[in-house]
Amino acid sequence: MNEPVLLQPLIPLLPFLGFLANGLLGRRLPKALTSIIALCAPLASFLIVLRAAYMVWSGALALPAIELDAPHWIWVGSLHVDFNFAVDQLSLVMLLVVTGVGFLIHVYSVGYMADEEGYARYFSYLNLFLFFMTVLVMAGNALLMFVGWEGVGLASYLLIGFWFQKTSAADAGKKAFVVNRIGDFGFLIGMFLLLANFGTLTFSEIAAKLNANPDWNGGILTAIALCLLLGATGKSAQLPLYIWLPDAMEGPTPVSALIHAATMVTAGVYMIARTHFLYDRSPFALSVVAIVGTATAIFAATIALVQTDIKRVLAYSTVSQLGYMFLGCGVAAYSAAIFHLMTHAFFKALLFLAAGSVIHGLGGEQDLRKMGGLRKSMPITFWTMTAAVFAIGGFFPFAGFFSKDAILYEAFQHGASGKFLWFIGLFTALLTSFYMFRLWYLAFFGESRSEDHHTHAHESSWIMLAPLAILALLSIGGGWIGIDRFGAFLAPVLGPVGDPATAPGGKQLDVLLSVVAVAVALLGWFVADRLYRQRPDTPAKLAAAFPAGYKVLVHKYWVDEIYGAVLVKPVLALSKFLLEWVVDVAILGGLAWILGGIANFGGAILQRWQSGNLRSYAAWLAAGAAALLLFVLLPWTTLLANLGIHFHVAGH
């Protein structure tokens, strides 16, 4: 057995051991030892993945690798499901992102959470999150993926509600948990349909059966793909199940970075890419994926335009960027979608961690309206966040330019409907550039707008700044690998990437679309500069001039209120009725009434017996003696035999 096969199970196992160590013993351990355990687990997993990546790069290891001879899990009749972990080109890229960025967030957390109670509990949850995410990525079948899928849901509930003493944090954790269960229902139905129609849940076996039957299209495959899409919209916060993600900001900022950048919210995109062989057989399902992604991208971007909480701007930005990834999957550009997933992990983790540095340096302040002028007191945070802003804005040569451009190019080539989706995506890029530079100007430029003028503002410690510097480098240079080489690497799993030279319009069209995308990003920057640096009083005037539109965006289209009125309140009212009247009054109350009646009736009889009257006792004694005598003297056997009842005595 070769080295990769031996080390493969350690990738998820090591974070799980870190979870157990800090979860069981963390309160008794010194904080330094807790930190070492928490950091060594993801670091070791990352080094194992990095070793495998190096072996692939050097040619010492051929992918798809290393599918273990896994122990049996479920063997019932024809249903065979194993604990099979597999590493191929797609899972290797995901593992590098999850463990690498995840480790940097762990390092950052040591400084950010240093003074918090529950330090060991926090890191045990963080390691648990990484464990379940690696299980999800490495799973070779849908059921094992579902275990990781549910696990990251549990870990996110624990981390979002980490400060459970706060009602808002506890409610946000519950909201994330409940909304994701809706999506998970779709995932479950999809698995049942896979099992019923393919007889297996193993991805490689399903793909092999589809390849052997090229005439299988649409129909049940569309139903399966749409069910899986419902699961993906829940986990990756797409319309209509995106509502949990903005509230997830109630957790510690490193948690936001972990959920938004490298782990949970990318799981839906990964699942669609992993099961692309189903979507390739259903043009209708692919169209739904593209429409959902595009609609989500522009919808969330419009909300981000007016948000004042620095983390909520980034939260809606994540929802919007995930929409781009769904758009990429919807036009069958799976490699471009995963490429954007990777670069997004770099700059979105940097954005959240830099925002956390700002919040940490301001003593917990998150309101952009009370910031300003921070580039002088927090220069490293400023410059690293600047790299992330330019990356997400789509400026050349930053990472986001390459991946977003690849998605928009593939959408443009996808027929007339694709050109419409391209236009919506391009307009969303304009909004993205605008609201990110709005955040940049409000936080770092001008004069302080707080009452104390940020006299206490300070730069973060080196343990928080080091991950920022690494992520800034990745945000600047992470896209230079190029979609051609990235797509070629993923081609054995996701299929080949189209060559612009052979497409309609050729390379000139690719360059032209890139120029247009950069011009749009520049326009967004120009408008933000005009409104928030040159004329900072103009935004308030615009809000006053268009109160209806501004109110709609500030209240986020009242989606939460609509859900509350249409779904939440009726369900709560029905639950209250069932609990108070059916369960409490009818069942429990009725049972208590029956038992009480029996007790009262029995008590009334006993009361007549125990009257204390000697004549009454004598009468009851006589009645009992007569009944006993009657029982002894009457021929009961004959009477019962006449009724058809016979007794058989053993031995006779």
Side-chain angles (χ1 to χ4, degrees), residues 528-554:
D529 181 78
R530 187 77 170 173
L531 295 182
Y532 292 96
R533 186 181 68 86
Q534 299 180 32
R535 298 180 179 179
D537 58 332
T538 304
K541 294 179 180 178
L542 288 174
F546 302 97
Y550 180 74
K551 192 174 182 180
V552 168
L553 296 181
V554 165

Side-chain angles (χ1 to χ4, degrees), residues 106-430:
H106 278 67
V107 173
Y108 179 94
S109 296
V110 171
Y112 191 88
M113 301 294 291
D115 299 324
E116 293 289 339
E117 294 184 9
Y119 186 80
R121 177 169 60 91
Y122 170 82
F123 276 107
S124 67
Y125 292 165
L126 218 60
N127 281 175
L128 181 67
F129 200 116
L130 211 60
F131 161 70
F132 279 121
M133 190 64 197
T134 52
V135 168
L136 187 157
V137 170
M138 296 175 64
N141 62 71
L143 187 58
L144 189 57
M145 175 182 279
F146 190 72
V147 171
W149 190 273
E150 291 297 286
V152 294
L154 168 64
S156 68
Y157 164 76
L158 296 172
L159 286 167
I160 293 168
F162 177 76
W163 289 314
F164 56 86
Q165 301 90 341
K166 291 171 54 181
T167 302
S168 58
D171 289 345
K174 289 186 288 186
K175 186 176 183 180
F177 193 80
V178 171
V179 172
N180 272 277
R181 299 292 73 73
I182 300 171
D184 295 348
F185 174 75
F187 196 154
L188 279 171
I189 299 300
M191 279 200 297
F192 295 153
L193 292 174
L194 281 173
L195 196 58
N197 290 276
F198 290 91
T200 181
L201 294 175
T202 302
F203 297 126
S204 58
E205 294 177 5
I206 296 171
K209 290 187 177 183
L210 285 172
N211 290 334
N213 295 274
D215 56 326
W216 289 4
N217 291 285
I220 191 63
L221 298 181
T222 297
I224 295 171
L226 292 178
C227 287
L228 295 179
L229 173 61
L230 179 60
T233 58
K235 198 66 73 181
S236 290
Q238 298 293 284
L239 287 171
L241 300 179
Y242 75 95
I243 55 174
W244 67 270
L245 191 58
D247 288 354
M249 298 301 96
E250 293 293 337
T253 302
V255 171
S256 303
L258 188 66
I259 292 175
H260 285 248
T263 54
M264 180 173 174
V265 297
T266 61
V269 180
Y270 173 75
M271 186 260 281
I272 291 177
R274 172 59 68 193
T275 58
H276 71 93
F277 40 78
L278 294 169
Y279 289 89
D280 288 339
R281 299 296 183 92
S282 175
F284 178 78
L286 276 179
S287 298
V288 174
V289 173
I291 292 170
V292 167
T294 307
T296 303
I298 191 168
F299 177 82
T302 58
I303 297 176
L305 295 175
V306 298
Q307 295 300 302
T308 55
D309 185 309
I310 188 172
K311 288 174 66 176
R312 283 192 177 270
V313 174
L314 299 180
Y316 282 105
S317 168
T318 298
V319 177
S320 182
Q321 294 301 308
L322 288 166
Y324 273 110
M325 299 175 207
F326 271 67
L327 170 58
C329 290
V331 296
Y334 306 106
S335 295
I338 298 299
F339 190 29
H340 194 55
L341 185 155
M342 181 188 73
T343 61
H344 177 264
F346 300 152
F347 58 71
K348 185 50 62 70
L350 177 54
L351 284 169
F352 269 109
L353 297 186
S357 181
V358 170
I359 296 168
H360 189 266
L362 297 180
E365 183 60 69
Q366 295 183 201
D367 194 336
L368 287 166
R369 295 169 296 184
K370 298 180 181 179
M371 297 182 187
L374 293 178
R375 73 184 190 279
K376 297 177 182 177
S377 55
M378 308 181 71
I380 299 177
T381 299
F382 165 70
W383 284 111
T384 53
M385 195 169 198
T386 298
V389 169
F390 276 83
I392 193 174
F395 285 85
F396 181 85
F398 295 85
F401 162 79
F402 295 95
S403 56
K404 191 182 295 186
D405 181 67
I407 291 174
L408 292 176
Y409 174 80
E410 292 293 340
F412 190 88
Q413 296 282 36
H414 206 68
S417 61
K419 289 178 174 58
F420 175 74
L421 297 177
W422 167 83
F423 177 77
I424 300 298
L426 190 68
F427 185 69
T428 303
L430 170 66

Side-chain angles (χ1 to χ4, degrees), residues 427-642:
F427 185 69
T428 303
L430 170 66
L431 300 182
T432 302
S433 178
F434 172 77
Y435 67 67
M436 287 310 306
F437 280 103
R438 169 181 175 268
L439 180 151
W440 191 58
Y441 281 119
L442 288 176
F444 295 103
F445 287 81
E447 300 298 327
S448 172
R449 295 178 295 278
S450 70
E451 294 179 358
D452 61 2
H453 298 290
H454 300 318
T455 55
H456 59 285
H458 59 85
E459 187 63 276
S460 300
S461 61
W462 68 268
I463 202 166
M464 293 172 62
L465 295 176
L468 297 185
I470 296 172
L471 289 169
L473 293 175
L474 292 172
S475 298
I476 295 170
W480 279 98
I481 185 175
I483 185 60
D484 294 338
R485 279 175 290 179
F486 191 82
F489 179 74
L490 293 178
V493 182
L494 301 180
V497 176
D499 186 359
T502 61
K507 191 68 176 177
Q508 294 79 7
L509 177 63
D510 185 24
V511 173
L512 176 61
L513 294 179
S514 298
V515 171
V516 171
V518 173
V520 164
L522 285 169
L523 178 60
W525 182 11
F526 172 78
V527 175
D529 181 78
R530 187 77 170 173
L531 295 182
Y532 292 96
R533 186 181 68 86
Q534 299 180 32
R535 298 180 179 179
D537 58 332
T538 304
K541 294 179 180 178
L542 288 174
F546 302 97
Y550 180 74
K551 192 174 182 180
V552 168
L553 296 181
V554 165
H555 290 88
K556 296 160 285 196
Y557 297 95
W558 291 282
V559 172
D560 282 285
E561 289 79 2
I562 293 172
Y563 276 140
V566 175
L567 296 176
V568 178
K569 288 184 179 179
V571 170
L572 288 177
L574 178 62
S575 302
K576 187 176 181 180
F577 170 77
L578 292 175
L579 180 63
E580 292 185 357
W581 291 97
V582 178
V583 177
D584 198 14
V585 175
I587 298 177
L588 297 179
L591 183 62
W593 182 84
I594 292 171
L595 293 175
I598 294 172
N600 286 333
F601 180 72
I605 295 175
L606 290 174
Q607 183 182 28
R608 298 296 297 252
W609 284 352
Q610 302 295 328
S611 63
N613 189 312
L614 291 177
R615 288 183 180 181
S616 177
Y617 290 162
W620 283 111
L621 182 63
L628 184 62
L629 222 93
L630 187 67
F631 179 80
V632 171
L633 294 177
L634 284 177
W636 292 104
T637 305
T638 303
L639 290 173
L640 293 173
N642 291 334

